[in-house]
Amino acid sequence: MTNPFDDESERFVVLVNAEGQYSLWPARLDIPGGWRAEGPEQSRQECLDLIEGAWSDMRPAGLVRAMEGEAG
């Protein structure tokens, strides 16, 4: 059985949660609670490229806010 996250023939979506974290997700699977699709179904590589371009700060949004509050 092939892992659907590694299957190059699958269609994927990019998911984003409230903390601004990104995830690659097989389009045929239900989107888990707390996540939303960001854009249309695409190839695995297209989704990975989108994630790489969009997710430059790996810290959760809550941590960023807390750190900015400490600095200010």
Side-chain angles (χ1 to χ4, degrees), residues 29-52:
L29 300 178
D30 291 337
I31 295 173
W35 294 83
R36 64 176 170 75
E38 180 78 12
E41 289 183 19
Q42 301 180 78
S43 72
R44 183 177 187 278
Q45 189 59 55
E46 288 170 321
C47 288
L48 290 173
D49 291 345
L50 191 153
I51 291 170
E52 183 176 336

Side-chain angles (χ1 to χ4, degrees), residues 4-36:
F5 291 89
D6 296 331
D7 187 350
E8 294 289 338
S9 66
E10 282 271 352
R11 299 295 289 171
F12 290 86
V13 293
V14 173
L15 301 184
V16 181
N17 67 17
E19 288 291 328
Q21 297 167 309
Y22 286 75
S23 180
L24 176 71
W25 197 257
R28 66 181 169 88
L29 300 178
D30 291 337
I31 295 173
W35 294 83
R36 64 176 170 75

